[in-house]
């Protein structure tokens, strides 16, 4: 598995790198970032996966997430993949909308033409990229966690609920908790997976919990001034789904915060500390 280094910079005693590789999952080149904290030779470090939201690439959290200082202190590798395949021949939303196609892969493996050829983000994030990171970085694959924002929060929740033994902690910032019940999800899941809504349920956190998926705990931060709160995010649906289960949900409504990286960066340290305690 060949890896091309696009950039590498010293930060907090560690190394912030950006890398590119040819992906078998998507059939395209894919770019991602990795922060490796300072560590002793031969040490294997826990890994935090961060999934970004609509319109984003790896660069948004890499440049604005403010995670490096605490990752260096806690000894956490931080990995940020892209949000969709890109490049020549990769189909986009036919109307050029931001919520489908490029930058909006929704962390599913598409089955509908013309997207099925390249939009295999579930396989990429859960199989191919973890194998690549394990081969090239000092990652302890027995200690992994996952987090994300908005569409990436949806991805983190659904992946974490699907693989509870792999991810020791799962958290999210302003996630799409029930894509089967909101316009963003109707468009994306319908466009990628087709009209049969039964097939959507494994990519819907609320539906997964309703169908029996369990995790020990979830941490979710949501701004109460988020412009997408009522129409697209609906965190109360997650609270209702977790009620009466073994899932210990911490849902924090943060007064005055919106959907932006000002919000994410404010609470990033809380999430990383929460992950570190569970990663050991």
């Amino acid at each position: 598995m060949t890896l091309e280094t696009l950039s590498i910079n010293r930060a907090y005693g560690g190394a912030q790198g950006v890398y590119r590789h040819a992906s078998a999952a998507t059939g395209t080149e894919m770019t991602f970032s990795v922060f490796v904290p300072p560590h002793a030779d031969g040490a294997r470090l826990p890994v935090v996966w961060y999934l970004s939201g609509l319109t984003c690439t790896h660069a948004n959290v890499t440049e604005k997430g403010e995670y490096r200082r605490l990752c260096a202190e806690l000894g956490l590798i931080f990995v940020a993949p892209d949000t969709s395949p890109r490049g020549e021949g990769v189909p986009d939303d036919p109307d050029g909308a931001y919520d489908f196609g490029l930058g909006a892969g929704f962390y599913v493996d598409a089955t509908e033409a013309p997207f099925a050829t390249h939009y295999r983000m579930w396989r990429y994030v859960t199989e191919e990229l973890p194998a690549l990171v394990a081969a090239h970085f000092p990652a302890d694959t027995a200690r992994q966690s996952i987090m994300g924002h908005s569409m990436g929060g949806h991805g983190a929740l659904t992946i974490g609920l699907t693989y509870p033994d792999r991810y020791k902690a799962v958290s999210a910032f302003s996630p799409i908790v029930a894509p089967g019940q909101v316009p963003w999800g109707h468009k994306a899941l319908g466009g990628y997976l087709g009209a049969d809504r039964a097939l959507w349920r494994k990519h819907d956190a609320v539906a997964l919990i309703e169908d029996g998926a369990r995790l020990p705990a979830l941490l979710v931060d949501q701004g109460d001034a988020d412009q997408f709160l009522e129409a697209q995010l609906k965190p109360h649906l997650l609270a209702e789904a977790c009620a009466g289960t073994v899932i210990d949900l911490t849902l924090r409504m943060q007064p005055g915060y919106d959907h932006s990286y000002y919000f994410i960066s404010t609470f990033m340290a809380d999430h990383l500390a929460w992950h570190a305690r569970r990663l050991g």
Side-chain angles (χ1 to χ4, degrees):
M1 292 183 285
T2 303
L3 193 63
E4 178 186 0
T5 300
L6 300 181
S7 66
I8 192 161
N9 297 94
R10 191 77 166 167
Y12 294 98
Q16 176 65 67
V18 178
Y19 307 92
R20 181 167 60 205
H21 71 109
S23 168
T26 68
T28 66
E29 289 191 329
M30 295 293 289
T31 302
F32 64 99
S33 75
V34 180
F35 176 72
V36 178
H39 61 282
D41 289 344
R44 311 301 287 183
L45 307 175
V47 182
V48 177
W49 296 88
Y50 179 92
L51 305 184
S52 295
L54 291 167
T55 76
C56 292
T57 70
H58 71 280
N60 297 75
V61 70
T62 305
E63 295 170 1
K64 298 184 287 188
E66 299 183 20
Y67 57 84
R68 278 174 286 269
R69 179 187 62 78
L70 202 62
C71 283
E73 292 178 6
L74 297 173
L76 302 173
I77 294 175
F78 190 97
V79 183
D82 203 347
T83 54
S84 79
R86 300 177 193 270
E88 185 176 354
V90 177
D92 196 3
D93 185 283
D95 299 319
Y98 74 93
D99 55 358
F100 188 75
L102 297 182
F106 262 80
Y107 305 101
V108 304
D109 286 347
T111 57
E112 295 295 297
F115 302 99
T117 301
H118 296 293
Y119 282 78
R120 300 191 187 113
M121 291 302 295
W122 180 275
R123 189 181 315 174
Y124 179 69
V125 168
T126 65
E127 298 177 16
E128 184 176 27
L129 190 56
L132 190 69
V133 168
H136 290 273
F137 300 93
D140 181 353
T141 57
R143 293 187 292 162
Q144 300 183 67
S145 68
I146 192 164
M147 63 195 301
H149 170 235
S150 193
M151 177 187 73
H154 140 76
L157 294 177
T158 56
I159 290 170
L161 285 162
T162 302
Y163 299 105
D165 295 332
R166 181 189 304 183
Y167 301 99
K168 307 302 182 186
V170 181
S171 73
F173 303 98
S174 47
I176 306 168
V177 304
Q181 301 184 51
V182 300
W184 277 344
H186 291 170
K187 181 175 182 178
L189 298 183
Y192 294 134
L193 303 178
D196 184 355
R197 294 198 175 197
L199 301 178
W200 299 6
R201 293 186 69 82
K202 71 176 183 177
H203 295 291
D204 182 310
V206 166
L208 281 166
I209 294 167
E210 290 173 349
D211 292 344
R214 295 293 183 264
L215 284 172
L218 293 172
L219 172 62
V220 174
D221 274 306
Q222 172 66 62
D224 72 1
D226 189 318
Q227 65 269 42
F228 304 114
L229 176 60
E230 298 299 328
Q232 305 284 8
L233 306 179
K234 300 183 181 294
H236 68 277
L237 296 176
L238 182 64
E240 292 168 3
C242 289
T245 74
V246 298
I247 301 172
D248 181 10
L249 170 65
T250 300
L251 172 59
R252 308 192 303 186
M253 298 301 297
Q254 301 293 358
Y257 283 91
D258 59 17
H259 201 69
S260 72
Y261 269 88
Y262 296 107
F263 161 63
I264 297 166
S265 63
T266 299
F267 299 102
M268 178 65 79
D270 287 358
H271 282 243
L272 291 172
W274 192 83
H275 283 243
R277 288 194 296 272
R278 287 156 177 80
L279 287 165

